[in-house]
Structures are given as C-alpha cells and as structure tokens.
Amino acid sequence: MAAARQSDHPDKPFYQPAEEFFPANNKLGLTFDDITLATLYSEILPRDTQLDTTLAEGLHLNIPVISSDMDTVTEARMAIAMALNGGLGLIHYNMPERQQLSEVSRVKNHVHGLIQEPIKVTPDESIGDVLALIEQKKFGFSTFPVVDKKGRLVGLLSGHVVKPRYAKKKVSEALTPRAQVHTVRKKDLGKDPIARADKFFTEHIGIHKLLVVDDDDHLQGLITMSDVERITQERNAQFKPARDAHFHLICGAAVSATRNAFGELDRERILNHVGALVERGVDVVAVSTAHGHSKGVGDTVKVLRDAFPKLPLIAGNVTSAAGVEFLADCGANAIKVGQGPGSICTTRIVAGVGIPQMTALYVCSRPAAKKKVSILADGGITKSGDIVKALTLSQAVICGGIFAGCNEAPGEVVEISGKFYKQYRGMGSFAAMKAGSAARYGHLPNPTLKVAPEGVEALKEACGSVDRVLAQLIGGIQSGMGYLGAANLAQLRELARYIRVSPAGMREAAPHDVVELKTGS
Ligand code: XMP
C-alpha cells in the first residue's frame, strides 16, 4: 500500500491521490461516473469494515447515509427506518410547523417492536365487519385489540373467533374480556422494552401478544412475539441503530431561512420553532436551501448557533470553498455539498449554475478539514459505487431518489400498466413550492406561474423496504472499502486514488454485450 504511493512507483503517474488528481483536472467538472477508484493491496474483508461516522460533537451515525429532507422522502416513518439501520433521516419542512414537531416526536418516542397505532375494533362491530376489514385492507393478521369510544381497552378479539361461521355475532360477544388480557403499562416498559417483552413471552406460554396501556387504560400499542424474535436476531447485526444518550432513535429536522412580510429574516419565528424542535429532542437541525452561501442562510445559522450553542447544525447547499468557510464561520458543523446533481433537479438547466459532484466535493473538502466541519455529499447518488466515491471526500451522503420508492417514504403506491410506482418530486418543483418549500429557492411563500421551477415531478419504481435498499448499499460500500484495504471511513479517505474514465470505459463499467435476465439489484 505504501509502495504504491511512492513517487517513483509505476502506479503513481496513473492513480493519483485527491490532492494531486483534482488539481490536475481543474479545468473540468467531474462527477461520479467520470472517475473510478484504483484498488490497493488489502487484508480487509468487506464484512469487517466499520462504517460509523461522526458529523458533529454528539452526532454519531453507525452508517454514513442520510435520507433527504424532501416531502416525498422523509417523514417520521422514513426517519425511524433510517435510524434503526444506523443512519439518519431529516424530516422535511414542507408541512405546518406543528406537524413537523409531531413527526419528530414520533421518531423520538418510537419504541422498536411496539406497534404504536395497532388496528383496533369496537365492541359493537360484528365479526362480519371485521372479516370485511381484513379482506379490504389485505391484513395478514386477524387478532385485534378492542377499545371503547374513548380508546380504552375493553378486550382482545382473538384470531380463532374471527371466522365466517361467527359473522353475525358482535365483537362484544366474542372478545376475551379485559381482565384476561395481558397488558403492560407504557411507563413500565423501561429502557429496553424488547428485553422486557421477551421475558414476558418466555414466562407466559402460548401468549403471543402483549398490549401496552397508559395509567387510564388507554391503548398505547401492541408488541408481538414474532416482532420481538426478529428484533432479537437483528441485534446481532453489524450495524446498530443510531441512538441518542437516552437510547432514543436519532432524528433530524430541516428548517428554512424564513422571512417575514417585510422580507426580513423572521428570527423570532425561527428561534421559536427550533426551540420547540429541541424540546422534542431533535438531534440535529439542517438549514436547507438551494444557495447556502448567502446572507439569509448565514444569519439563520448564526442566530441558531447563538441560541443553541450545543445543537449540531447542518447548513447548505454550497459547492465552493468560500461557501464552506462562510457557513463554518457562521457556526455550522456539517455542510451540504451539491447544487444541481439531484435526480429531480433542474437547477443547472434553469439557472445555469452548479458543479459536478466529485469536483464540488473535492473543492469543499479541503477547507472543511481545516475548519473541522463535516461534508455531506448531497444528491446525484444512484448506486452504491457512487457512495464509495463520495465517501472518499465526505463524511456522509444524503440520498433522495434512492429512498423515494421505499415503503417508508410518504405517499401511496400507484399502479401503471402493471408496474408499481411512488411519486418523487424536487423541492424546487412547482408543486412542492406551492406546498411550502418556495423559501428554499429564494421565492415568496406563494409562488406564481412566473417563478421558474428548479425541479421536476417524477415517479420512482416501488422498491420495498428501506432495510432491503440499505442492505444493498451497505454491501456495496463495504466491498469498495475491501478493494482499497480500508478498515474504516477515515482510511477510505486516506487511501483513495483516482483516474478519469473515458466514455468507452464508462460503457465497459456497466453490463454490456449480454442479454440481461436479472438486474444487479
Ligand atoms: P437525489 O439525486 O438523491 O437528490 O434524488 C436529492 C437532493 O436533490 C436536492 N433537491 C433539489 N435540487 N431542485 C434542485 O436543484 C429541486 O427541486 C430539488 N429538490 C431536492 C436536495 O439537495 C436533495 O437532497
């Protein structure tokens, strides 16, 4: 490894470290597919690589992947899935402030394995109604908690009585009464609810469901034995959930540089909102805009830094060293790099600005190291190889399109010609700006048709769970690190050597001259 870096080594003129490669290519903006990484002697097996990354004091992820603050990507469900996998979700701000607060609360109060809003039935429904509900919603289960109009637990409707022969009977006649239902109070679940539930199921032979109630017997959730068993197995997994010091999942939230009716920064509103987010336990706030190297964003970061000295702050987006220095001096801990690389972005076409992502990352990474801030590679990532390349110059990546087709992304699945899709739109698309994100692009809250959108509305093919997508991405990152002999992300940054790829080289990199039967994913 050291030999390949010596100045007279035959590899040296071809495969160059970042500080030689990027200045030597400074006349051209390069992105992921324009370069490839050279392999090095390795004693590192992919499965032994460590992917944890620290973005700021008190903000540590177990995998370097963040889901984007977009209204078709990250709300509570996505943020929970990201944190459970060791990453981070940034809750978008294209919703009323109160709703954003409750999305953050949902993540922070998430108890793994606890179904917080189980499907319930009421005593006056008939078994026939319940059967119809199962059929209509395609539920794969048939046991339901029974609650009264105030949400208080009155019993459990067990699957073995939900049969067509009892269709005319009332739920009240068929339920297992409250006194015989096993429950635990939410406050008694303790720090490790899964261990508590696991012990309960071992001690109560044949019981597969444990209902969670509050002090007034309102139903608060449901824990199933099968979930507990799955989670207990997952605990042996390599990448642990990303949690705060109180064992809660971590969660981020985005804010914009909000202006008042006079066009001035609305400091009071921003401070009140971020104060409320902090009260809910938010772990990091991102000041998310298309142009981070601007007075409004700088002032917002300064105001937040003064008011919340310890709160990790992300700010962006920039693509220049001056932009990084500016935001770092204002008090940001991590800086989003990316202008126009996103799969739904049209900034480069509409505004004629933006820099291909690998060049932007290099230019930003050097001052970031000096200022001791992190770099987040935001946008343009379509495959795990892009993430490996991005991580040679950054501490984490932010992805939108890769996660927009997942079950956990907001929005419904739609079927078109037998294929399933989810909506994915740019925050600078006209529809998203109308819904509230206009400030991100420096426009007034209610944009008119005169405003030029900088993003498109699109569809992504439905792609299953975040767990599945992340498993593929992480496998790819670990492979890349194995090829470079990097045991951790710091070594990956240290060891990376680059070479440019010709158009023919790019074609060679993808499957070619075959009839593909199955895609790589
Ligand atoms: P990917 O490629 O992961 O990109 O889909 C997601 C990132 O794109 C940015 N973003 C936009 N950029 N116009 C833009 O120029 C838009 O409408 C837009 N919406 C999102 C954002 O940085 C996100 O993380």
Side-chain angles (χ1 to χ4, degrees), residues 60-62 82-87 240-244 248-250:
H60 189 77
L61 311 188
N62 294 326
M82 290 301 298
L84 285 173
N85 278 286
K240 306 275 180 258
R243 297 189 189 278
D244 64 18
H248 296 294
L249 295 179
I250 63 165

Side-chain angles (χ1 to χ4, degrees), residues 68-70 317 336 338-347 378-381 398-402 424-429 440-441 454-456:
S68 182
D69 50 305
M70 297 173 72
N317 283 27
K336 292 207 242 177
Q339 285 173 319
S343 56
I344 34 51
C345 301
T346 54
T347 294
D378 183 10
I381 283 163
I398 301 184
C399 302
I402 275 187
Y424 180 43
R425 68 184 186 189
M427 294 297 279
S429 65
R440 185 179 184 132
Y441 293 84
E454 290 180 32
V456 296

Side-chain angles (χ1 to χ4, degrees), residues 33 383 501-514 516 520:
D33 282 348
K383 45 200 180 303
V501 180
S502 67
M506 220 183 291
R507 276 197 300 281
E508 183 186 66
H512 54 88
D513 300 303
V514 291
E516 221 178 313

Side-chain angles (χ1 to χ4, degrees), residues 114-407:
L114 174 68
I115 303 164
Q116 273 175 328
E117 283 166 27
I119 310 294
K120 321 169 254 278
V121 295
T122 52
D124 50 350
E125 284 176 271
S126 69
I127 301 289
D129 295 335
V130 178
L131 284 164
L133 179 76
I134 294 172
E135 171 65 23
Q136 187 203 346
K137 301 273 185 189
K138 306 266 178 287
F139 289 144
F141 54 88
S142 56
T143 297
F144 299 89
V146 185
V147 295
D148 66 16
K149 288 199 176 73
K150 292 191 169 146
R152 272 196 216 112
L153 188 65
V154 291
L156 186 70
L157 186 68
S158 158
H160 65 258
V161 298
V162 183
K163 303 272 184 243
R165 74 169 62 242
Y166 307 126
K168 292 213 168 68
K169 303 264 186 224
K170 290 269 181 216
V171 167
S172 54
E173 297 172 75
L175 57 73
T176 307
R178 168 68 186 94
Q180 290 167 32
V181 177
H182 293 276
T183 59
V184 59
R185 279 186 301 177
K186 194 167 185 188
K187 65 179 186 204
D188 296 335
L189 279 173
K191 253 195 149 188
D192 192 347
I194 293 300
R196 172 88 169 73
D198 198 26
K199 185 162 174 280
F200 168 87
F201 289 127
T202 308
E203 287 168 357
H204 295 78
I205 299 172
I207 303 297
H208 291 188
K209 302 226 166 13
L210 176 61
L211 298 179
V212 182
V213 291
D214 66 11
D215 287 344
D216 296 324
D217 224 24
H218 293 110
L219 183 67
Q220 298 287 300
L222 165 70
I223 301 178
T224 70
M225 188 161 85
S226 54
D227 280 351
V228 167
E229 286 176 349
R230 179 177 53 77
I231 293 162
T232 312
Q233 275 171 9
E234 279 168 13
R235 284 202 165 161
N236 302 326
Q238 193 180 4
F239 300 108
K240 306 275 180 258
R243 297 189 189 278
D244 64 18
H246 307 287
F247 214 65
H248 296 294
L249 295 179
I250 63 165
C251 178
V255 298
S256 71
T258 314
R259 291 180 185 276
N260 61 23
F262 308 104
E264 298 153 351
L265 199 66
D266 199 338
R267 289 161 204 265
E268 202 182 325
R269 182 164 162 193
I270 295 169
L271 281 174
N272 286 342
H273 181 53
V274 173
L277 285 168
V278 169
E279 263 172 37
R280 305 277 173 132
V282 82
D283 298 275
V284 55
V285 164
V287 183
S288 279
T289 66
H291 189 21
H293 192 184
S294 59
K295 180 165 168 41
V297 178
D299 287 350
T300 306
V301 173
K302 275 191 213 156
V303 163
L304 293 178
R305 178 49 67 231
D306 286 348
F308 308 100
K310 295 221 145 102
L311 176 67
L313 289 176
I314 296 173
N317 283 27
V318 298
T319 46
S320 66
V324 170
E325 286 161 355
F326 170 74
L327 289 175
D329 290 344
C330 290
N333 306 100
I335 293 171
K336 292 207 242 177
V337 172
Q339 285 173 319
S343 56
I344 34 51
C345 301
T346 54
T347 294
R348 295 201 193 147
I349 296 164
V350 171
V353 304
I355 303 295
Q357 197 63 341
M358 283 304 286
T359 296
L361 287 172
Y362 175 75
V363 170
C364 291
S365 62
R366 272 42 205 170
K370 281 203 190 110
K371 295 273 180 191
K372 298 199 174 10
V373 294
S374 309
I375 287 291
L376 310 178
D378 183 10
I381 283 163
T382 58
K383 45 200 180 303
S384 52
D386 299 345
I387 302 184
V388 179
K389 293 173 191 176
L391 289 174
T392 64
L393 299 168
S394 67
Q395 279 66 38
V397 296
I398 301 184
C399 302
I402 275 187
F403 297 125
C406 291
N407 303 339

